[in-house]
């Protein structure tokens, strides 16, 4: 296997595991949401993150498949994958300097 395919496989596996974990957390929050009112405030960010990582899973699976089959769209799929990784990083790790007073 080529190095880019291996790296794409790592991204794909990570996205799948994060999406499945977020789905299980959503199920647990749905079951205990009435007993813990604080949990209700976490539904929107949780569903947003689940949607992002589900989309990233689909993109990474498609990108992995195109690399394995040497498909002509493999470079476009790779561009989409790495743009998705970058945007997911921007969403997941916002600048904390303003909130901590380190500006």
């Amino acid at each position: 296997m080529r190095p880019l395919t291996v790296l794409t496989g790592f991204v794909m596996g990570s996205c799948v595991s994060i999406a499945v974990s977020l789905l299980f957390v959503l199920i647990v929050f749905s079951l205990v949401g009435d007993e813990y009112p604080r949990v209700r405030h976490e539904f929107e960010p949780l569903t947003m993150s689940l949607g992002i990582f589900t989309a990233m899973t689909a993109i990474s699976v498609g990108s992995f498949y195109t690399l394995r089959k040497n498909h002509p769209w493999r470079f476009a799929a790779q561009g989409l994958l790495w743009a998705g990784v970058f945007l997911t990083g921007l969403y997941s790790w916002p600048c904390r300097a303003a909130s901590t007073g380190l500006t």
Side-chain angles (χ1 to χ4, degrees):
M1 228 188 285
R2 292 178 292 202
L4 187 59
T5 308
V6 172
L7 189 58
T8 303
F10 289 152
V11 172
M12 180 179 64
S14 298
C15 289
V16 168
S17 65
I18 292 170
V20 169
S21 298
L22 288 172
L23 177 64
F24 288 150
V25 170
L26 183 67
I27 291 170
V28 169
F29 278 13
S30 297
L31 294 174
V32 300
D34 294 336
E35 297 172 22
Y36 298 95
R38 220 174 131 200
V39 170
R40 282 185 242 141
H41 300 291
E42 300 296 327
F43 271 100
E44 186 178 339
L46 179 61
T47 55
M48 176 65 95
S49 294
L50 178 60
I52 288 171
F53 280 100
T54 301
M56 280 301 299
T57 298
I59 292 169
S60 61
V61 166
S63 183
F64 186 80
Y65 178 79
T66 58
L67 282 173
R68 291 292 296 157
K69 296 297 182 180
N70 206 18
H71 199 277
W73 293 353
R74 66 188 179 274
F75 298 115
Q78 278 296 303
L80 186 61
L81 173 69
W82 296 111
V85 167
F86 177 74
L87 292 173
T88 301
L90 283 180
Y91 175 79
S92 299
W93 299 296
C95 180
R96 307 252 185 232
S99 64
T100 59
L102 298 175
T103 56

